[in-house]
Amino acid sequence: MAKGAGKARKKLPKELAVVYADNCTGCEACIEVCPVDCIYKIPGEDLPPLQSFVDIDLERCIGCALCERWCPWDAIEMVPTARVHEAVAIKGGPPSYLEKNHERLVQTARQLAELYSEQQMPKA
Ligand code: SF4
Ligand code: SF4
């Protein structure tokens, strides 16, 4: 497995949070409630024609679902960790953001999904 993903913790939660960027207004309600501060705002000045939005550091998300519950715009969905890369691949966002980050985000999500699946296997 590639280094990095999942290293920070022992056991992955069964669900992780994904932000669908097109629904996100950047209101920051989710940032306020996240107990591990793993939601971050994408700086608006990088993307002048667009409203700001947030993204999630999936390697630190503990799957508590508080952000999903508090988002006023239904922009966050809890998705099964084993398939989180599929959701990340289609979560959208401004083209300039996706150009820079899409591959890295999907790769990290895939590594977490693989690690989660490994953790579900019974030990020999
Ligand atoms: S599920 Fe919990 S830990 Fe994960 S991003 Fe949302 S509030 Fe933070
Ligand atoms: S609460 Fe919802 S709309 Fe507000 S910043 Fe978070 S994901 Fe975006």
Side-chain angles (χ1 to χ4, degrees), residues 19 23-31 54 67 70-73 75-76:
V19 179
N23 288 359
C24 175
T25 64
C27 73
E28 301 188 27
C30 54
I31 293 178
V54 303
C67 55
W70 281 87
C71 176
W73 301 100
I76 298 183

Side-chain angles (χ1 to χ4, degrees), residues 15-17 30 33-39 56-57 60-68 76 78:
E15 291 185 327
L16 292 170
C30 54
V33 297
C34 178
V36 295
D37 288 332
C38 70
I39 307 177
I56 295 175
D57 180 355
R60 292 169 50 217
C61 173
I62 58 170
C64 70
L66 277 175
C67 55
E68 182 196 45
I76 298 183
M78 299 304 298

Side-chain angles (χ1 to χ4, degrees), residues 62-112:
I62 58 170
C64 70
L66 277 175
C67 55
E68 182 196 45
R69 213 172 303 154
W70 281 87
C71 176
W73 301 100
D74 285 338
I76 298 183
E77 195 182 327
M78 299 304 298
V79 300
T81 304
R83 299 204 312 273
V84 68
H85 55 300
E86 294 168 17
V88 169
I90 57 162
K91 73 191 184 67
S96 56
Y97 178 73
L98 292 176
E99 200 179 305
K100 275 194 212 150
N101 298 288
H102 185 261
E103 204 178 314
R104 172 181 60 83
L105 293 171
V106 173
Q107 197 186 9
T108 299
R110 185 177 290 117
Q111 288 168 1
L112 289 169

